[in-house]
Amino acid sequence: MLAPVGLVLGVVAALNTKGQALPPTWTLVAAIMAVSIFDAFAGFAATLVFLVGTVIAAGNLPDMSQVRTLMGVMIIAIGPAMLA
């Protein structure tokens, strides 16, 4: 039930960063974390859409520092659900 919410949050987060490999605003990260706590797949879907949207909007593959930043965002968003 929460997967569509996660997809929408992922799109909003990708648009928020304007294609740069930066974390979205803390309110979006907190919303993705909240969705992820109740449904781990929805949080994974949100971060996956964010990652793919960022790479597509950038127009090229990110370098290693940007990959680490994007993976950090993914760990922050999915980590609470994995710990629970």
Side-chain angles (χ1 to χ4, degrees), residues 1-7 32 35-49 74 78 81-82:
M1 296 286 298
L2 290 176
V5 174
L7 294 174
I32 291 171
V35 167
S36 178
I37 288 171
F38 294 110
D39 186 6
F41 179 73
F44 176 73
T47 56
L48 187 64
V49 168
M74 192 167 206
I78 299 175
M82 299 306 271

Side-chain angles (χ1 to χ4, degrees), residues 6-43:
L7 294 174
V8 169
L9 285 173
V11 169
V12 170
L15 293 174
N16 180 260
T17 60
K18 297 177 181 77
Q20 298 179 11
L22 298 171
T25 60
W26 70 271
T27 54
L28 283 172
V29 173
I32 291 171
M33 286 173 59
V35 167
S36 178
I37 288 171
F38 294 110
D39 186 6
F41 179 73

Side-chain angles (χ1 to χ4, degrees), residues 52-70:
V52 171
T54 301
V55 170
I56 290 173
N60 58 357
L61 293 176
D63 61 0
M64 283 307 292
S65 65
Q66 294 171 341
V67 169
R68 289 185 200 112
T69 301
L70 293 174

